[in-house]
């Protein structure tokens, strides 16, 4: 497969620039209603880039699934570099289907623990709960995505591969 990762980076960098002021905006926790404002922030809409960001993320996740190990490492590095894009970009698919669940896990894998593995573990558990309640057989998909995921223990809490495989045992 010949995909130009430089093209992905160029587009991600452009969207990251649009999202960075929103991502880095301070939150005044002394003001009443700060939690509600924080919870209702829709950065892709505020920046006016939702369709473009979701389309780019979906293409990136599909490529990540088809990529070799070196390319997956490069994609993880892109998402580590462009933190505002990583933080804000979402998939339009629901995790309530097997394919949607797989896409969300691949996105999680590509983000490789993000800035805080505790947040990613909670996200993983949420995705698994939604998929499980919708009747998705999550174990084979967790194994499939774990095989593509990093085995690097970035934060001394385990690797993304470990988190995915451990989730099979929960419940």
């Amino acid at each position: 497969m010949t995909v130009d990762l430089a093209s992905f980076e160029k587009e991600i960098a452009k969207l990251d620039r649009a999202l960075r002021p929103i991502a880095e905006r301070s939150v005044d926790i002394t003001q009443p209603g700060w939690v509600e404002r924080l919870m209702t922030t829709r950065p892709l809409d505020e920046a006016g880039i939702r369709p473009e960001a979701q389309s780019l993320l979906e293409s990136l996740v599909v490529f990540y699934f088809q990529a070799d190990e070196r390319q997956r490492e490069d994609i993880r590095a892109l998402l580590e570099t462009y933190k505002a894009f990583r933080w804000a970009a979402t998939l339009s698919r629901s995790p309530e289907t097997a394919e949607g669940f797989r896409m969300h896990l691949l996105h999680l894998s590509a983000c490789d623990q993000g800035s805080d593995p505790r947040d990613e573990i909670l996200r993983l558990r949420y995705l698994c709960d939604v998929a499980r309640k919708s009747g998705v057989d999550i174990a084979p998909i967790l194994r499939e995505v774990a095989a593509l995921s990093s085995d690097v223990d970035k934060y001394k809490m385990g690797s993304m591969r470990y988190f995915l495989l451990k989730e099979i045992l929960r419940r």
Side-chain angles (χ1 to χ4, degrees):
M1 165 177 276
T2 59
V3 170
D4 182 10
L5 285 172
S7 296
F8 272 121
E9 182 168 16
K10 179 181 175 185
E11 291 304 309
I12 290 170
K14 179 179 84 172
L15 298 177
D16 188 82
R17 281 190 299 276
L19 291 162
R20 196 172 309 124
I22 300 165
E24 294 176 352
R25 184 169 48 211
S26 64
V27 176
D28 185 352
I29 62 172
T30 65
Q31 294 297 312
W34 73 270
V35 172
E36 293 79 15
R37 282 191 301 281
L38 187 63
M39 298 299 287
T40 59
T41 298
R42 302 284 181 251
L44 297 179
D45 296 329
E46 189 175 328
I49 60 169
R50 178 173 297 283
E52 186 179 358
Q54 287 182 323
S55 177
L56 179 61
L57 180 60
E58 182 157 332
S59 296
L60 185 69
V61 168
V62 167
F63 177 63
Y64 182 82
F65 182 58
Q66 299 168 345
D68 62 32
E69 180 55 34
R70 181 70 191 132
Q71 291 167 320
R72 286 192 303 273
E73 288 173 6
D74 290 344
I75 291 168
R76 290 183 205 117
L78 277 179
L79 293 174
E80 179 62 28
T81 299
Y82 299 103
K83 290 174 175 48
F85 177 82
R86 182 186 70 207
W87 165 75
T90 59
L91 295 167
S92 60
R93 297 181 189 212
S94 167
E96 295 173 333
T97 66
E99 186 54 32
F101 179 61
R102 179 179 289 105
M103 290 292 287
H104 280 273
L105 289 187
L106 288 164
H107 178 212
L108 192 72
S109 173
C111 289
D112 195 25
Q113 302 185 47
S115 298
D116 189 332
R118 296 168 297 185
D119 291 336
E120 300 303 281
I121 291 168
L122 291 175
R123 184 171 158 217
L124 172 60
R125 288 183 178 169
Y126 168 78
L127 292 170
C128 289
D129 289 345
V130 168
R132 196 180 282 118
K133 287 176 185 169
S134 298
V136 175
D137 183 6
I138 67 169
I141 300 169
L142 284 162
R143 283 187 194 92
E144 175 185 40
V145 176
L148 304 175
S149 298
S150 172
D151 204 23
V152 175
D153 184 355
K154 291 170 56 174
Y155 299 102
K156 306 301 179 217
M157 292 180 65
S159 66
M160 182 52 69
R161 181 175 298 159
Y162 169 79
F163 296 152
L164 290 162
L165 292 174
K166 185 177 177 187
E167 192 61 27
I168 295 170
L169 304 175
R170 194 171 73 84
R171 285 193 226 181

